[in-house]
């Protein structure tokens, strides 16, 4: 009985973990290339959630159509924000970019609030559900996970098999080395920031396919925190490390939730969150470079 | 091929270059000697454009390239073998060399250049699938030189390529540099602390100290001047 419940929850965790993983790749990419921590990460996810919501409610379009739209919105926002602020701050102290990305998040939150009010909203994408015995998975969750895996795979191929992707990877490894090869490092910075924000906004769409409720301008906070834990799990600077970090996180989150729920008098939701951050602290203490450190 | 006029630059408020003048003739190996902290590396990075010049001019093949960003200079056929190597350690040897062939013109001759690099450094062909970071110091230096050759350059600036290598390897690296001039027809600006070896390979020599050029001449002239050797080269 308990095992059934646990394995059922772990399957949910695996599916959600794939989405978490994809939702952290942008953060890791931006950190890897620019050494900038995007504190506005959760707000970008929120923009993606509203993109899906708006297209669904306004035009009755499936969230799948929101994926490319979110990518374009995110990349555009990223480019604008890079050239208007980040580029000028790269040579300054780290605090400068931290504050800048923090304000970027606030600007996004307040803009969305003006456009959509701060009401908590959701949408109802009626897709079939599959009962696989130990748990019920909806098609929309499966699509979210498959979409996440596809995006991760595409990014992997792009980084490893294409000239443009290799150039970005070379900047991650050594920017002066990239310069003597003739790579326009300035442009790679802009592109990776733009791509990072694009991926993050897109992940917001996928997350609503998993959890289509609770959408509001300030929903991003918990996602920022989770993404930090996941990024550290995955080795910080590696986007695919982050992907696997997300899968691990999804499993741990759902697994520990089930176990905490067994203890009488414990509020499992709060405990799970507590547990995640204990995990973050422990990892930082033992292996600050992350435990997965994928190539 | 390259002409530097009264170039000034530095880091933040600290000025390092105090207006050195220098010329590198096409087809020559021109050596730049000088003690630690003289500003040799800074001069090379300023020529490339990653350190911003605050004054003075850089001409490449007669064209004023002072304010051209680094990647555009590489597109003109100028590149560098940096002192810290700046390899992509987590990439394979092959991928490092491929990155050298990043620019369009270099892509077209990638296969030829790859064969050239492998024939100069056969060990790199054997190790092409290993991560660059796992190689020995000497082999990493070969990758760095190979990567520079892959950019299809006309002109290479080499910053202490023999640094930290065993004497036998130092000999080989210098032979390679002479080969690059004689067989490939490259022009080379060679920064060295190893004065004896570079006086042997160079066609012309500049001596730098505290950010400016203190002496210049043919290797024989430098060798003939006890004053220069004692004051700047510790020979
Ligand atoms: N990235 C940097 N930031 C700040 N100062 C630097 C930097 N690189 C070099 N310097 C300083 O600039 C001065 C000149 O250094 P540079 O590396 O150009 O000398 P060098 O002649 O190449 O010395 P070496 O023979 O040791 O390589 C030194 O005082 C050094 O401390
Ligand atoms: Mg130096």
């Amino acid at each position: 009985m308990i095992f059934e419940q646990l394995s059922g929850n772990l399957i949910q965790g695996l599916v959600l973990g794939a989405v978490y993983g994809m939702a952290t790749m942008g953060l890791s990419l931006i950190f890897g290339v620019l050494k900038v921590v995007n504190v506005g990460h959760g707000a970008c996810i929120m923009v993606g959630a509203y993109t899906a919501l708006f297209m669904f409610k306004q035009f009755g379009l499936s969230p799948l159509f929101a994926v490319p739209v979110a990518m374009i919105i995110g990349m555009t926002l990223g480019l604008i924000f890079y050239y208007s602020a980040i580029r000028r701050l790269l040579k300054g102290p780290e605090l400068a970019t931290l504050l800048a990305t923090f304000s970027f998040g606030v600007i996004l939150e307040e803009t969305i609030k003006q456009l959509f009010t701060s009401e908590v909203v959701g949408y109802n994408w009626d897709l079939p559900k599959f009962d696989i015995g130990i748990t019920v998975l909806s098609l929309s969750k499966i699509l979210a996970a498959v979409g996440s895996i596809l995006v991760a795979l595409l990014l992997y191929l792009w980084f490893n098999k294409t000239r443009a992707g290799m150039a970005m990877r070379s900047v991650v490894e050594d920017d002066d080395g990239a310069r003597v090869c003739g790579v326009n490092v300035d442009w790679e910075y802009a592109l990776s920031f733009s791509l990072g924000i694009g991926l993050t906004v897109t992940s917001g769409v996928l997350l609503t396919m998993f959890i289509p409720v609770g959408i509001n301008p300030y929903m991003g906070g918990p996602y920022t925190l989770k993404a930090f834990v996941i990024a550290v799990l995955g080795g910080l600077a590696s986007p695919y490390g982050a992907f696997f970090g997300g899968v691990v996180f999804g499993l741990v989150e759902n697994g520990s939730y089930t176990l905490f729920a067994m203890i009488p008098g414990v509020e499992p939701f709060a405990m799970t969150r507590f547990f995640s951050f204990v995990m973050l602290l422990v990892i930082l203490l033992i292996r600050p470079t992350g435990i997965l450190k994928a190539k | 091929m390259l002409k530097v006029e009264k170039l000034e630059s530095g880091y933040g408020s600290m000025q390092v270059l105090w207006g050195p003048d220098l010329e590198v003739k096409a087809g020559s190996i021109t050596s730049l000697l000088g003690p630690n902290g003289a500003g040799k590396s800074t001069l090379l990075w300023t020529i490339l454009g990653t350190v911003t010049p605050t004054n003075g001019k850089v001409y490449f093949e007669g064209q004023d390239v002072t304010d051209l960003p680094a990647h555009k200079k590489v597109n003109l056929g100028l590149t560098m073998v940096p002192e810290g190597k700046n390899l992509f350690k987590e990439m394979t040897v092959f991928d490092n060399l491929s990155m050298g062939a990043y620019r369009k013109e270099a892509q077209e001759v990638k296969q030829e250049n790859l064969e050239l690099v492998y024939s100069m450094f056969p060990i790199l062909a054997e190790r092409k699938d290993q991560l660059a970071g796992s190689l020995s110091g000497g082999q990493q230096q070969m990758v760095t030189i190979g990567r520079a050759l892959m950019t299809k350059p006309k002109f290479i600036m080499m910053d202490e390529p023999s640094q930290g290598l065993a004497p036998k390897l130092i000999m080989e690296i210098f032979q390679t540099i002479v080969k690059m001039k004689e067989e490939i027809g490259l022009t080379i600006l060679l920064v060295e602390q190893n004065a004896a070896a570079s006086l042997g390979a160079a066609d012309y020599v500049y001596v730098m100290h505290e950010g400016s050029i203190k002496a210049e001449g043919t290797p024989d002239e430098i060798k003939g001047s006890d004053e220069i050797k004692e004051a700047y080269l510790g020979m």
Side-chain angles (χ1 to χ4, degrees):
Chain A
M1 167 61 196
I2 153 90
F3 280 111
E4 231 169 63
Q5 202 180 346
L6 185 63
S7 45
N9 266 358
L10 285 179
I11 288 175
Q12 296 281 347
L14 196 66
V15 176
L16 178 60
V19 185
Y20 276 165
M22 192 262 149
T24 310
M25 293 180 92
L27 185 82
S28 290
L29 177 65
I30 290 172
F31 182 77
V33 178
L34 295 144
K35 303 288 173 283
V36 166
V37 177
N38 179 17
V39 188
H41 181 77
C44 298
I45 290 182
M46 178 274 298
V47 171
Y50 272 90
T51 307
L53 178 85
F54 181 74
M55 289 181 59
F56 189 87
K57 290 232 158 135
Q58 209 70 20
F59 308 114
L61 286 171
S62 122
L64 289 177
F65 289 107
V67 167
V69 175
M71 192 74 199
I72 292 167
I73 291 177
M75 287 193 75
T76 311
L77 284 173
L79 268 188
I80 294 172
F81 186 54
Y82 178 81
Y83 279 111
S84 61
I86 296 294
R87 185 175 138 104
R88 296 152 206 260
L89 302 174
L90 283 177
K91 287 202 175 125
E94 271 159 29
L95 186 63
T97 54
L98 275 180
L99 290 173
T101 56
F102 177 76
S103 2
F104 178 49
V106 173
I107 292 169
L108 291 179
E109 283 168 358
E110 297 310 315
T111 310
I112 292 288
K113 187 176 149 192
Q114 291 307 315
L115 292 175
F116 295 91
T117 78
S118 56
E119 227 179 304
V120 177
V121 283
Y123 65 87
N124 187 9
W125 191 24
D126 218 2
L127 285 186
K129 292 183 167 49
F130 305 106
D131 192 339
I132 56 169
I134 41 179
T135 190
V136 179
L137 276 175
S138 68
L139 180 59
S140 115
K141 284 185 182 180
I142 294 172
L143 284 174
V146 171
S148 298
I149 293 168
L150 269 180
V151 172
L153 200 67
L154 279 177
L155 196 67
Y156 179 85
L157 289 175
W158 185 74
F159 257 114
N160 287 285
K161 303 285 175 220
T162 71
R163 176 169 172 268
M166 295 270 288
M168 191 173 287
R169 206 150 64 97
S170 77
V171 176
V172 177
E173 295 235 353
D174 194 311
D175 49 4
D176 276 335
R179 287 189 181 95
V180 301
C181 293
V183 175
N184 184 351
V185 171
D186 250 353
W187 169 243
E188 296 296 327
Y189 284 165
L191 186 63
S192 57
F193 194 83
S194 164
L195 189 61
I197 300 293
L199 285 167
T200 308
V201 173
T202 305
S203 77
V205 174
L206 297 169
L207 274 163
T208 64
M209 287 166 65
F210 207 94
I211 312 163
V213 292
I215 298 172
N216 75 84
Y218 306 109
M219 66 186 270
Y223 288 117
T224 306
L225 294 176
K226 282 178 194 181
F228 286 167
V229 182
I230 293 167
V232 169
L233 264 170
L236 272 177
S238 154
Y240 359 104
F243 182 77
F244 292 110
V247 174
V248 171
F249 187 85
L251 288 172
V252 170
E253 195 182 56
N254 273 27
S256 61
Y257 184 89
T258 320
L259 295 179
F260 285 131
M262 315 262 313
I263 309 170
V266 165
E267 208 280 283
F269 190 71
M271 269 313 272
T272 304
R273 211 183 265 187
F274 171 73
F275 184 71
S276 309
F277 290 99
V278 171
M279 194 165 80
L280 172 65
L281 280 178
V282 172
I283 297 165
L284 282 174
L285 286 172
I286 312 175
R287 282 209 55 179
T289 51
I291 48 171
L292 291 165
K293 199 170 185 311
K295 290 276 148 54
Chain B
M1 170 147 286
L2 181 89
K3 204 166 168 194
V4 169
E5 276 177 14
K6 306 223 167 344
L7 201 58
E8 291 179 28
S9 77
Y11 306 95
S13 61
M14 183 181 79
Q15 185 162 350
V16 174
L17 293 187
W18 296 88
D21 287 313
L22 178 135
E23 195 177 346
V24 180
K25 295 230 156 66
S28 75
I29 295 179
T30 300
S31 179
L32 179 63
L33 300 173
N36 276 328
K40 306 180 297 292
S41 300
T42 305
L43 174 59
L44 299 197
W45 287 116
T46 311
I47 293 172
L48 189 72
T50 59
V51 174
T52 315
T54 49
N55 234 322
K57 291 276 177 214
V58 179
Y59 297 95
F60 184 64
E61 296 191 303
Q63 185 189 345
D64 181 354
V65 295
T66 317
D67 299 316
L68 220 54
H71 70 276
K72 292 204 174 145
K73 292 201 184 106
V74 175
N75 280 336
L76 294 177
L78 179 158
T79 192
M80 174 153 162
V81 173
E83 186 175 8
K85 302 192 186 77
N86 300 83
L87 281 182
F88 312 123
K89 294 207 170 77
E90 303 269 318
M91 292 192 198
T92 62
V93 169
F94 177 80
D95 284 348
N96 270 272
L97 296 175
S98 298
M99 272 314 298
Y102 175 75
R103 72 185 186 102
K104 291 245 159 52
E105 267 181 69
Q107 293 266 290
E108 288 159 15
V109 288
K110 180 176 169 187
Q111 210 47 45
E112 276 167 69
N113 277 342
L114 206 55
E115 274 157 32
L116 173 79
V117 170
Y118 287 156
S119 72
M120 286 175 98
F121 308 113
I123 186 82
L124 296 188
E126 274 170 49
R127 306 252 152 123
K128 68 180 169 51
D129 297 320
Q130 275 187 8
L131 294 185
S134 71
L135 302 181
S136 71
Q139 289 161 1
Q140 290 194 9
Q141 193 56 266
M142 294 173 195
V143 179
T144 317
I145 296 173
R147 184 180 66 181
L149 289 173
M150 295 295 293
T151 66
K152 198 186 170 203
K154 298 174 191 156
F155 174 65
I156 300 190
M157 304 187 280
M158 303 181 89
D159 199 350
E160 307 202 21
S162 73
Q163 195 186 38
L165 300 185
K168 185 171 164 281
L169 265 174
I170 295 185
M171 286 276 295
E172 282 178 28
I173 292 284
F174 272 94
Q175 280 164 6
T176 307
I177 294 170
V178 172
K179 246 200 228 168
M180 281 161 51
K181 174 185 97 167
E182 285 172 359
E183 290 173 21
I184 315 175
L186 292 177
T187 306
I188 293 159
L189 175 57
L190 175 65
V191 165
E192 264 299 336
Q193 295 250 3
N194 188 334
S198 49
L199 284 173
D203 300 302
Y204 201 75
V205 182
Y206 287 90
V207 179
M208 192 173 193
H209 185 61
E210 291 178 346
S212 48
I213 300 294
K214 290 286 165 24
E216 60 174 279
T218 62
D220 289 334
E221 285 166 358
I222 302 289
K223 275 188 236 166
S225 163
D226 292 334
E227 206 181 319
I228 296 174
K229 285 201 295 193
E230 256 171 54
Y232 306 114
L233 305 178
M235 289 174 80

